[in-house]
Amino acid sequence: MSDDNSSSPAAVLRALVASAVAADLAALDDRVEVVERSGGAADEGVTADPAKRLAGLVGSADSVVAVVPRFDADLARRLNASLAATDGDGDAGDSNGSERDATVPGDVRVVFTDAASDRLSGATGPVVRRALADRGVDAYRHDGESPVAVVLADDRAAVGLIDGDGISALLRTDAPAVREWAAATCRRYLAAAESVTDD
């Protein structure tokens, strides 16, 4: 999807990431993919779906660490499907030798900030935390804010621009500069967060 319009979510996201990593993303175009949520109409016959692409990236990884500022129901459903184990009984597997599905990451750590953090501690907090734990997600709560969602899935980084309807644009790349920035960002949030997995 084209992001020539400088006010489009895709263009805004590219500018944010370029500024954060102090790099010219245009020089990395062959390693950077940016998709923007379609407004209902397909662009050149292809409807962009950032939430679906992010869920696919997470579902195909062995290890995932993320910072998430908003708990989006659509993305949660997609991630739930990506993280669901299919060992015959639908169980996620355990230390007794049950096999996890090959597409289920073995290590998933998510730091929830902003409104997402509130969901972990509010009235629905116990249900949300239990659902995350059932999927093998180590959840953390951070009192601060994050302007974007940041995900490191194996050797790929993803950055999502969030609006009231979920992920409006997603940037995915294996470019070292963005991966290193994403890893450092996740480490910084994890260091200042509290684990809520065992609450």
Side-chain angles (χ1 to χ4, degrees):
M1 176 172 284
S2 172
D3 60 350
D4 294 338
N5 179 351
S6 63
S7 64
S8 74
V12 169
L13 180 59
R14 286 179 76 87
L16 283 171
V17 173
S19 175
V21 302
D24 178 10
L25 293 184
L28 304 173
D29 269 345
D30 60 331
R31 298 183 77 167
V32 174
E33 175 194 37
V34 182
V35 294
E36 183 177 307
R37 183 176 56 230
S38 297
D43 179 34
E44 296 177 10
V46 179
T47 302
D49 189 341
K52 182 177 181 180
R53 301 236 179 139
L54 180 57
L57 178 66
V58 168
S60 66
D62 291 324
S63 175
V64 176
V65 61
V67 176
V68 179
R70 186 172 182 277
F71 196 85
D72 177 64
D74 177 54
L75 179 58
R77 280 189 298 274
R78 292 176 188 275
L79 290 175
N80 186 47
S82 290
L83 295 173
T86 56
D87 63 355
D89 296 329
D91 295 330
D94 59 28
S95 59
N96 297 326
S98 295
E99 293 284 327
R100 292 179 69 94
D101 185 274
T103 65
V104 178
D107 177 31
V108 183
R109 293 170 290 158
V110 181
V111 179
F112 294 91
T113 68
D114 301 294
S117 175
D118 296 341
R119 291 287 300 270
L120 293 177
S121 59
T124 60
V127 174
V128 173
R129 293 193 305 269
R130 187 169 37 255
L132 291 167
D134 287 349
R135 289 294 182 241
V137 176
D138 292 330
Y140 299 82
R141 184 177 186 278
H142 190 285
D143 288 330
E145 298 178 350
S146 175
V148 292
V150 179
V151 179
L152 190 61
D154 292 340
D155 62 350
R156 293 189 63 84
V159 184
L161 187 64
I162 310 294
D163 65 13
D165 295 321
I167 303 176
S168 61
L170 182 74
L171 181 147
R172 298 188 313 173
T173 185
D174 64 354
V178 181
R179 284 197 335 255
E180 290 165 12
W181 168 80
T185 299
C186 291
R187 281 194 302 270
R188 188 173 71 248
Y189 277 90
L190 275 168
E194 62 174 322
S195 173
V196 297
T197 299
D198 298 323
D199 284 2

